[in-house]
Amino acid sequence: MKNTDNLQFETKALHAGLEPDPSTGAIMTPIFQTSTYVQAAPGDHKGFEYSRTGNPTRQALENNLAALENGKYGLCFGSGLAAIDTLLKTLSPGDEIISTNDLYGGSYRLFTKVFEKFGLKFTFVDLTDLANLSSAITEKTKMVWVETPTNPMMNIIDIKSVADAIKGKNILLAVDNTFASPYLQTPLDLGADVVMHSITKYIGGHSDVVMGALVCKNDALAEQLYFFQNSCGAVPGPMDSFLVLRGIKTMHVRMQRHCENGRQIAHFLKDHAKVEKVYWPGFENHPNHNVALSQMRDFGGMISFSLVGNRKEDALKVLSGTKLFSLAESLGGVESLIGHPASMTHASIPKEEREKSGVVDSLIRLSVGIEHINDLIQDLEKALNY
Ligand SMILES: *Cc1c(COP(=O)(O)O)cnc(C)c1O
């Protein structure tokens, strides 16, 4: 296996964990569409016994992801939520988890509607202010769950400061790195213990796969995670693993364009008369801009904005007025998407509650794709001309 440890992200994306197929020389990792593997004698096999436990296509992807996050172990799952589910199963009833308050709705639902029933306790705090973290820690705290940038308000949490604040306390720091992608941010380098991804988003990048991943460095944690991955069985299939490996080969090029287009659209919106406020961490007056500068390579393609007058009717006009930005859930694909958090991702949160965190009725979220910037701006310009 090539050693890619000292290579740049772009090179690792194409080479880490990947070798030509030894039986044919195929340069692309084959889709090993098989459930089982023939043994010469009981226990005498070539490293694979059954595809829930391990599959060569999935393993190539897992090794590649581990390298991209500067970790040692990668594990893939049938979805991002399945990855979180597996990680939480390493905890025990009575354990407490402190989480970002402004987090992905599906994670919030999994925490409060599924795992609370099994005796885990979740506290949701604003982790952009570390004083909230210290006051929430108890002797039962076993994990801190950080999502940064947050959805949809684009707050940035200082991963290294959180890691420093819990150092020596036997608390695991988990980071949902979905919004940034490993191209923009590598939390393990900042002191996180485990990184989680919804691969469905930027890593897959083409809106054609649902998948999740965990990456860590610690041997004992990895052993536990492999145990739960195999015991609970929420693994992705070889075809999807192949599609994601293919997507990863262009991740850095896609991310550069997502960032470039995002930057131009953020500035276009900021100067638009009908736009009240733009949430994008690249602005110098963004409250966590300096943290973003220090832990991210660039600012990504996710932008939220509110409208002057804050009327839902106006937001709905914009949402139905765009032709290139498609109205849909999800993010991180090559094509641009537009969404309305108050009635889509955050609909289950009471109005008063969501408005406290900035999710007002006119808030619109964009996942800026990699189309030509002039076409995207023209599309928004027309839609804002209501
Ligand atoms: C989509 C998403 C998830 C859940 O991932 P799935 O692949 O949809 O299960 C978790 N966290 C964030 C930030 C997401 O955007």
Side-chain angles (χ1 to χ4, degrees), residues 153-156 266-267 269-271 276-293 299 304:
M153 300 315 299
M154 304 306 296
N155 291 314
I156 306 291
H267 284 93
L269 291 170
K270 184 169 73 84
D271 296 336
E276 173 82 37
K277 196 158 177 353
V278 184
Y279 300 88
W280 178 69
F283 289 131
E284 275 176 32
N285 66 355
H286 181 287
N288 323 116
H289 176 67
N290 287 333
V291 180
L293 268 183
F299 306 109
S304 295

Side-chain angles (χ1 to χ4, degrees), residues 79-81 104-107 147 151 176-182 196-212 244 247-248 251 254-255 258 302 329-335 337 345 365 367:
S79 70
L81 287 178
Y104 178 70
S107 308
E147 189 179 313
N151 175 32
D176 181 340
N177 204 26
T178 301
F179 261 47
S181 89
M196 173 263 155
H197 276 287
S198 169
I199 286 185
T200 316
K201 317 294 167 54
Y202 283 110
I203 295 180
H206 294 74
S207 308
D208 51 7
V209 169
V210 173
M211 197 190 289
V244 172
I248 285 176
M251 181 171 23
R254 285 186 280 113
M255 289 312 296
H258 283 297
M302 297 303 299
E329 305 264 4
S330 200
L331 63 112
V334 284
E335 63 292 307
L337 299 181
T345 49
R365 190 189 80 174
S367 171

Side-chain angles (χ1 to χ4, degrees), residues 60 94 108 134 148 155 321 355:
Y108 181 80
S134 341
T148 179
N155 291 314
E355 294 207 331

Side-chain angles (χ1 to χ4, degrees), residues 13-305:
L14 292 155
H15 294 282
L18 307 173
E19 294 290 341
D21 175 49
S23 64
T24 60
I27 191 161
M28 288 302 139
T29 308
I31 304 163
F32 285 95
Q33 195 75 47
T34 186
S35 61
T36 192
Y37 307 82
V38 177
Q39 308 190 6
D44 179 4
H45 54 74
K46 298 182 166 69
F48 298 94
E49 295 166 86
Y50 186 61
S51 278
R52 169 165 32 73
T53 317
N55 172 282
T57 316
R58 189 180 97 213
Q59 192 179 77
L61 171 61
E62 292 178 327
N63 290 338
N64 184 258
L65 284 171
L68 294 182
E69 281 290 357
N70 297 332
K72 197 164 156 194
Y73 303 101
L75 300 96
C76 287
F77 299 89
S79 70
L81 287 178
I84 305 176
D85 176 73
T86 301
L87 178 62
L88 290 175
K89 282 171 179 158
T90 64
L91 301 176
S92 302
D95 288 351
E96 297 182 4
I97 299 94
I98 298 170
S99 164
T100 318
N101 59 349
D102 176 18
L103 94 159
Y104 178 70
S107 308
Y108 181 80
R109 183 178 57 201
L110 179 64
F111 292 174
T112 57
K113 296 272 171 23
V114 179
F115 277 97
E116 275 187 358
K117 206 170 67 180
F118 291 98
L120 296 186
K121 189 175 163 232
F122 297 85
T123 316
F124 299 92
V125 299
D126 176 1
L127 288 175
T128 58
D129 181 355
L130 285 184
N132 295 328
L133 175 63
S134 341
S135 56
I137 292 176
T138 75
E139 69 274 20
K140 290 187 181 153
T141 306
K142 288 286 155 32
M143 186 185 286
V144 173
W145 183 265
V146 166
E147 189 179 313
T148 179
T150 66
N151 175 32
M153 300 315 299
M154 304 306 296
N155 291 314
I156 306 291
I157 294 162
D158 187 337
I159 299 170
K160 186 169 183 309
S161 297
V162 173
D164 289 345
I166 60 175
K167 199 167 267 167
K169 290 193 161 76
N170 198 25
I171 300 172
L172 204 75
L173 175 56
V175 177
D176 181 340
N177 204 26
T178 301
F179 261 47
S181 89
Y183 175 76
L184 294 181
Q185 172 175 287
T186 45
L188 297 178
D189 295 335
L190 302 164
D193 298 295
V194 55
V195 170
M196 173 263 155
H197 276 287
S198 169
I199 286 185
T200 316
K201 317 294 167 54
Y202 283 110
I203 295 180
H206 294 74
S207 308
D208 51 7
V209 169
V210 173
M211 197 190 289
L214 297 173
V215 177
C216 69
K217 286 202 259 201
N218 181 281
D219 300 346
L221 175 62
E223 196 178 315
Q224 258 190 314
L225 293 174
Y226 282 122
F227 173 80
F228 282 104
Q229 182 193 40
N230 185 42
S231 301
C232 303
V235 293
M239 179 71 200
D240 282 0
S241 301
F242 170 84
L243 281 172
V244 172
L245 275 170
R246 190 187 214 265
I248 285 176
K249 290 179 205 297
T250 54
M251 181 171 23
H252 50 289
V253 184
R254 285 186 280 113
M255 289 312 296
Q256 285 159 15
R257 184 61 63 86
H258 283 297
C259 291
E260 253 174 62
N261 283 354
R263 176 174 282 104
Q264 295 210 43
I265 286 178
H267 284 93
F268 159 77
L269 291 170
K270 184 169 73 84
D271 296 336
H272 199 285
K274 287 202 174 126
V275 173
E276 173 82 37
K277 196 158 177 353
V278 184
Y279 300 88
W280 178 69
F283 289 131
E284 275 176 32
N285 66 355
H286 181 287
N288 323 116
H289 176 67
N290 287 333
V291 180
L293 268 183
S294 72
Q295 72 186 20
M296 296 174 74
R297 195 203 285 233
D298 203 336
F299 306 109
M302 297 303 299
I303 300 168
S304 295
F305 64 100

